[in-house]
Amino acid sequence: DTGVSQDPRHKITKRGQNVTFRCDPISEHNRLYWYRQTLGQGPEFLTYFQNEAQLEKSRLLSDRFSAERPKGSFSTLEIQRTEQGDSAMYLCASSHLGALKYNEQFFGPGTRLTVL
Amino acid sequence: AQSVAQPEDQVNVAEGNPLTVKCTYSVSGNPYLFWYVQYPNRGLQFLLKYITGDNLVKGSYGFEAEFNKSQTSFHLKKPSALVSDSALYFCAVRPEYSGAGSYQLTFGKGTKLSVIP
């Protein structure tokens, strides 16, 4: 079991640039979640997928944010025209459909984004 | 909408002493409750969960948590703290029902635990 992996671990970008993050869930997990964590706060839900279908999006996910999970395996989160307020840790988590009812989520190490 | 409150930003405890990290929650219907731990520059690691049944739940690394429905609390406990327990602890909740908005976890702000040698 390799766990949830995320790439890159750190990203520094200039305001206005586009960035893309990747998440590889635990291989047998059907559900994939994205959260954002700012300093001194707990993670906040952004969106989740069941297989390739994006089933829910938070109001935090502005039009500049888009997430995909094209083949129901890895997922990407893209932020267009980054703003300084986008600076945060972006966490990915996955869970198994068999544990659907209990929603036990396993988290990756996160991607820390710094927008200058 | 659900919410979680962790009233203490920081908890300090001497090594070998018992520790408690407090959590209260608000959710429609019955809750599913979770504790996660986060070490510096790391993701969240699952510690334990309450779904149903016994109000005292045992988890990883000797941690346990007590569910109290009347007080809407789910405090994390450990009988004897270790220096290696020093980390950031998050309580999270989701509602029991299945459907829109139910699968996302709502987290508290976290409590920094410092175990002093």
Side-chain angles (χ1 to χ4, degrees):
Chain A
D1 181 4
T2 58
V4 178
S5 62
Q6 293 186 245
D7 183 69
R9 295 290 305 275
H10 303 275
K11 179 70 177 180
I12 300 174
T13 191
K14 293 182 179 180
R15 187 179 55 184
Q17 298 294 306
N18 298 344
V19 294
T20 300
F21 310 140
R22 176 179 170 126
C23 170
D24 287 89
I26 295 172
S27 59
E28 66 270 23
H29 284 186
N30 310 85
R31 290 201 159 202
L32 186 148
Y33 313 79
W34 285 99
Y35 291 83
R36 181 173 69 185
Q37 184 180 17
T38 54
L39 197 62
Q41 301 294 319
E44 296 173 292
F45 171 78
L46 292 178
T47 188
Y48 86 85
F49 294 82
Q50 180 168 314
N51 299 314
E52 66 275 9
Q54 187 174 18
L55 296 185
E56 281 194 29
K57 293 195 293 185
S58 162
R59 284 173 291 180
L60 292 175
L61 213 64
S62 75
D63 292 344
R64 297 184 297 105
F65 287 70
S66 62
E68 295 182 342
R69 194 182 183 198
K71 296 183 179 180
S73 56
F74 72 91
S75 174
T76 58
L77 178 67
E78 181 182 16
I79 309 174
Q80 296 182 327
R81 305 180 303 282
T82 53
E83 302 173 355
Q84 288 183 328
D86 297 331
S87 296
M89 175 78 86
Y90 290 85
L91 295 166
C92 176
S94 67
S95 67
H96 193 285
L97 193 60
L100 177 67
K101 186 175 182 180
Y102 305 142
N103 200 33
E104 185 173 320
Q105 298 178 22
F106 296 86
F107 284 79
T111 295
R112 182 169 295 283
L113 173 66
T114 302
V115 182
L116 301 176
Chain B
Q2 54 258 31
S3 65
V4 173
Q6 293 182 242
E8 301 154 319
D9 290 337
Q10 179 149 355
V11 169
N12 298 322
V13 63
E15 186 177 24
N17 282 3
L19 69 87
T20 298
V21 182
K22 296 180 180 178
C23 169
T24 59
Y25 67 89
S26 173
V27 70
S28 297
N30 293 321
Y32 290 163
L33 292 155
F34 305 83
W35 275 101
Y36 286 83
V37 60
Q38 187 175 37
Y39 296 98
N41 299 314
R42 302 277 296 276
L44 279 73
Q45 294 180 31
F46 170 78
L47 277 181
L48 52 78
K49 66 185 177 188
Y50 170 81
I51 303 301
T52 187
D54 194 347
N55 289 344
L56 186 63
V57 178
K58 294 187 182 296
S60 306
Y61 313 118
F63 283 93
E64 57 190 27
E66 186 168 12
F67 171 64
N68 187 316
K69 188 171 184 177
S70 63
Q71 297 185 3
T72 61
S73 67
F74 189 55
H75 300 330
L76 181 70
K77 300 180 180 183
K78 188 174 183 181
S80 178
L82 300 173
V83 172
S84 57
D85 293 331
S86 298
L88 196 54
Y89 290 81
F90 291 96
C91 180
V93 69
R94 62 150 288 201
E96 179 187 29
Y97 68 85
S98 298
S102 67
Y103 299 116
Q104 56 188 267
L105 292 177
T106 298
F107 287 84
K109 291 186 176 182
T111 298
K112 183 179 179 181
L113 174 67
S114 294
V115 181
I116 303 161

